[in-house]
């Protein structure tokens, strides 16, 4: 019997993962809705397999994720996300053999292969994830932010939501979301918290302006 913890805040994804896992009646499946809840479940079931969408969960950055994984060293993790930066993928797979990586928009067979590998206590890294890391090593330095992107970084650091930024800029939410994705890609980050750290380091905002 294996214990699985689904840590994904998309309802359809949770349902699909749980349906897949419950095909084996010996599996025990639990749900975590935030980092604190995940930690509590791992305290009770340390040898669990965690299926995590890192980009939708409340980890501040990869350091917090690695700290939790190290704390529960008997756990195994399958990271399932739409987008993960090359820097993030490289960091987690080089830091710990606890992590497997697949993408949500990849073939279902890859997820099945990842689950099978984890059952054998082996790591699975999808071909796309491997290629992402290899290609990133060959890329030139990331482009600097445009003036618009810099303004949006400041707004993010001040705690403004995508809707608020769109309203202030007289733009659509879709346009601001596209800018956010471009910013995350250029900076090589996955979360707004990491954008804030960049803004502070780059001097785009001072400590009295930013939002924690």
């Amino acid at each position: 019997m294996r214990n699985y913890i689904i840590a994904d805040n998309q309802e359809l994804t949770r349902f699909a993962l749980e349906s897949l896992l419950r095909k084996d009646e010996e599996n025990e499946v639990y749900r975590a809705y935030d980092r604190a809840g995940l930690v509590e479940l791992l305290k009770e079931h340390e040898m669990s397999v965690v299926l995590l969408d890192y980009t939708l969960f409340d980890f501040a950055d990869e350091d917090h994720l690695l700290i939790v994984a190290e704390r529960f060293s008997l756990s195994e993790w399958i990271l399932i996300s739409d987008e993960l930066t090359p820097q993030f993928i490289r960091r987690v797979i080089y830091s710990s053999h606890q992590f497997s990586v697949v993408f949500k928009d990849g073939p279902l067979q890859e997820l099945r292969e990842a689950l099978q590998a984890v059952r054998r206590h082996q790591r699975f890294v999808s071909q796309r994830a491997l290629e992402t890391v290899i290609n990133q090593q060959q890329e030139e330095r990331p482009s600097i932010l445009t003036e618009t992107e810099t303004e949006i970084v400041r707004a993010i650091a001040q705690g403004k939501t995508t809707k608020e930024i769109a309203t202030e800029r007289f733009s659509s939410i879709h346009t601001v979301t596209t800018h956010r994705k471009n910013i995350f890609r250029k900076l090589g980050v996955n979360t707004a918290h990491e954008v804030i750290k960049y803004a502070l380091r780059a001097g785009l905002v001072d400590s009295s302006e930013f939002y924690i």
Side-chain angles (χ1 to χ4, degrees):
M1 182 184 77
R2 292 303 302 269
N3 292 327
Y4 293 88
I5 301 174
I6 299 174
D8 190 306
N9 287 325
Q10 286 184 328
E11 187 173 0
L12 285 175
T13 304
R14 288 199 306 266
F15 177 80
L17 290 173
E18 188 166 349
S19 299
L20 181 63
L21 294 170
R22 289 195 183 281
K23 287 184 178 180
D24 183 345
E25 295 181 357
E26 294 185 356
N27 291 336
E28 289 289 341
V29 182
Y30 305 91
R31 291 183 176 186
Y33 298 95
D34 55 30
R35 181 164 51 93
L38 175 58
V39 168
E40 289 304 312
L41 284 170
L42 284 169
K43 287 179 181 178
E44 297 180 30
H45 312 285
E46 185 172 354
M47 295 183 67
S48 295
V49 177
V50 180
L51 288 83
L52 170 71
D53 186 335
Y54 171 78
T55 60
L56 294 180
F57 229 60
D58 62 338
F59 284 99
D61 52 33
E62 63 262 33
D63 288 330
H64 285 157
L65 173 62
L66 291 169
I67 288 169
V68 172
E70 184 178 3
R71 177 181 176 186
F72 301 101
S73 59
L74 298 180
S75 63
E76 296 174 272
W77 301 65
I78 301 177
L79 303 180
I80 309 174
S81 298
D82 287 320
E83 295 182 16
L84 291 170
T85 63
Q87 294 89 342
F88 173 84
I89 297 173
R90 185 167 60 178
R91 174 88 186 278
V92 296
I93 64 177
Y94 287 175
S95 297
S96 174
H97 285 277
Q98 291 171 261
F99 292 98
S100 296
V101 182
V102 297
F103 288 91
K104 278 188 177 179
D105 59 355
L108 180 59
Q109 182 60 28
E110 282 191 343
L111 177 57
R112 290 196 173 105
E113 290 175 7
L115 290 169
Q116 291 170 1
V118 169
R119 289 189 190 104
R120 300 190 299 269
H121 302 290
Q122 297 174 348
R123 179 165 66 178
F124 178 89
V125 180
S126 72
Q127 184 64 31
R128 176 179 162 192
L130 289 172
E131 291 174 354
T132 298
V133 173
I134 292 170
N135 291 338
Q136 188 272 337
Q137 293 172 341
Q138 299 171 346
E139 286 180 357
E140 298 178 352
R141 294 175 59 187
S143 303
I144 61 172
L145 299 180
T146 66
E147 183 177 347
T148 296
E149 289 166 347
T150 300
E151 292 173 359
I152 290 175
V153 166
R154 288 196 185 99
I156 292 171
Q158 292 163 358
K160 295 176 182 176
T161 66
T162 299
K163 183 177 180 180
E164 288 170 338
I165 297 170
T167 299
E168 288 183 358
R169 298 187 59 81
F170 304 101
S171 300
S172 69
I173 291 176
H174 173 75
T175 298
V176 174
T177 299
T178 299
H179 282 307
R180 282 176 63 105
K181 288 182 178 179
N182 289 336
I183 290 166
F184 281 32
R185 175 180 54 79
K186 287 183 178 181
L187 299 183
V189 301
N190 294 285
T191 67
H193 184 83
E194 292 169 304
V195 172
I196 293 169
K197 291 199 295 186
Y198 165 82
L200 287 167
R201 290 196 304 268
L204 300 181
V205 293
D206 62 43
S207 58
S208 64
E209 289 183 278
F210 83 95
Y211 170 83
I212 300 179

